[in-house]
Amino acid sequence: MESAPRCPFILSLITLLLASGVVMPVVSMDLVDGTLGRSVHFVIPVALPSQYRIDWNCGHAGKVIVIARLTYGGSPQYNPIYGGRSEMLGNGTLRLDDISYKDEGTYKVKVFNPETFTSYIHRYQLNVYATLTAPVLRSLDANRLIISGTDMTLHCDAGDQTVTTYTFYRGQKMICSEPHVTCSGSSLDLTPISEDDSGSYTCRIENPVSSFTSDPIPVTVSVPVSSVTLTSNTSGLVWPGRDPVSLHCSARGTDITYTWSLEDTPLPENSRYHFSQNNSTLIIDPVSSDDSRPITCTAANWINEETSSKVNFKFASPVSAVTLNGNTSSAVLWAGKDSVSLHCSAQGSAIAFSWSLGGKPVSSKPPYYINESDSPPYSSLTISPVSRNDIGPFTCTASNRLNSETSNELNFSLKWYPEGYIACIVEGHDSMLQLDCSWPGGQPAANVTMIFNDKAEGSGLNVVTRNVAVGQTGQRSNLTCIGNHYGKTFSCGLIFGSRRSRQGKNKAVTEGKKANLETEALP
């Protein structure tokens, strides 16, 4: 035997309603936010039918309380427990005045259409909120100085107010989305805080009926000193007594002060020292040898201090020890043949060299060739070949921005051969004949020997002269001249008669040969 279906009354009622065309009620829900002590309106979201009955009630603390009822064509009826705080408007809207937290709960409206026997039901959830007052933003570390790299927490204190949303700002910017920022309810955590987080902070509280922003509080983040760097405007030579030098000290950190030291001793007062840019720049004008010790700068704030690396200037030095020497080991140089190199050395910085011969500048054109070097400083002068003008004295002068100095003098022992060939000369003067052996122009002078009629008449330098009477010459006489200059020998010969001679002079002859010349005799 089959068992009977459960809830037969409900099934029979549903079957009857469906058969008669009656529509089941439609139920929906709205959230309604009300302000404490003010009015709230519950609006029916559909148009009323031509015939209706409207019932408003609420559920609170497990009880259902009827608030008001209105039948089309009649007057609203109110529950006296609301003490005149409720009113139903013409379109069915229910207004509730002077609401309190006790009014929170679920409200329902039922609109019944007697013509169709259908009902429309709509529910409302009423939440009551007080109007907010200003919160106070506080730091949980109010008495602690804030250092970059540490954590900081701010608390937005709204008291016992009902707050649905907390928002935090730095300046005008919401900051809860930044990577190192965590916002949790009324707390803001910065983990860690950095220098960029310095600024003016506020918090804003909200509920559905109001909002309020706190007064701003300043947050200053201090950064420890780091990366202290000392730089100079020059890395090359500085000339003491002449050049100014600028030093700049830079560092990361906040509220930094700068001090300077000379070899770990505080920089003394000096009219040459000038400070600018909050003491971070030091200008020394001019530098001197007193500044040759290492210079450092120290950057400091209330957290720590750090000292830079040392800076040492490269001081230029004056010219000294100028020395001139030559490369020749021979005591004799032959003009037009030999070459010589002179070497001028000196100590000092950025030296320029110049050369002089006999107190006048040496030409830079051949046969003079000048080469120079900076390290070590020197200059060389090559003369190729030397000439008769290069006896000396040669000097070189070394100079720089500080001073100049001239070297020792250097002279050469120059030799050169006499010009042309040795000459045999006979000249008549009345009853006398002048005999000359001449080979001039050599350096030093050539040795000249005269032989007259195969008899040596004497020797001398450059020229040997003898006077003889015409009667001593005989009908046929000869004159021989021999010249010797450093191994180079020339000779000449002259033959003349007993008559008085006008004048006779030899022509050029080849070395080692004799020239026989006769002159016309005079009566």
Side-chain angles (χ1 to χ4, degrees), residues 5 11 35 47 103 143 148 170 175-176 178 206 231 244 301 314 334 346 378 394 430 436 455 503:
L11 291 176
T35 303
D103 293 320
N143 297 322
S148 177
R170 181 174 57 246
I175 60 172
C176 288
E178 293 185 3
E206 298 179 56
T231 57
N301 61 15
K314 297 178 182 178
W334 287 94
Y378 76 85
F394 283 90
D430 297 328
D436 292 316
K455 179 182 177 182
Q503 183 175 356

Side-chain angles (χ1 to χ4, degrees), residues 219-386:
V219 172
T220 300
V221 181
S222 296
V223 180
V225 173
S226 64
S227 303
V228 181
T229 303
L230 180 57
T231 57
S232 171
N233 68 335
T234 178
S235 59
L237 289 176
V238 292
W239 298 87
R242 296 180 180 271
D243 286 345
V245 172
S246 176
L247 300 174
H248 182 69
C249 189
S250 61
R252 291 194 70 254
T254 52
D255 300 324
I256 294 177
T257 59
Y258 296 91
T259 56
W260 296 81
S261 297
L262 186 62
E263 199 172 38
D264 303 325
T265 301
L267 197 68
E269 292 186 7
N270 194 304
S271 60
R272 297 183 298 108
Y273 298 150
H274 308 278
F275 298 95
S276 62
Q277 298 180 347
N278 191 31
N279 256 29
S280 65
T281 297
L282 167 63
I283 297 176
I284 307 175
D285 187 12
V287 291
S288 77
S289 57
D290 295 337
D291 306 315
S292 60
R293 293 173 292 170
I295 295 178
T296 57
C297 70
T298 298
N301 61 15
W302 66 269
I303 305 171
N304 68 321
E305 68 177 35
E306 186 175 300
T307 299
S308 72
S309 56
K310 298 178 180 180
V311 167
N312 291 276
F313 297 129
K314 297 178 182 178
F315 280 98
S317 56
V319 174
S320 63
V322 182
T323 304
L324 177 61
N325 53 59
N327 71 333
T328 177
S329 60
S330 173
V332 177
L333 292 174
W334 287 94
K337 179 181 179 182
D338 290 336
S339 299
V340 67
S341 290
L342 307 182
H343 184 86
C344 184
S345 62
Q347 296 177 5
S349 303
I351 295 177
F353 292 91
S354 60
W355 291 87
S356 296
L357 171 58
K360 296 182 179 180
V362 172
S363 171
S364 59
K365 297 180 180 179
Y368 302 106
Y369 305 91
I370 299 175
N371 291 305
E372 293 188 355
S373 172
D374 293 331
S375 180
Y378 76 85
S379 178
S380 64
L381 170 63
T382 299
I383 310 171
S384 181
V386 293

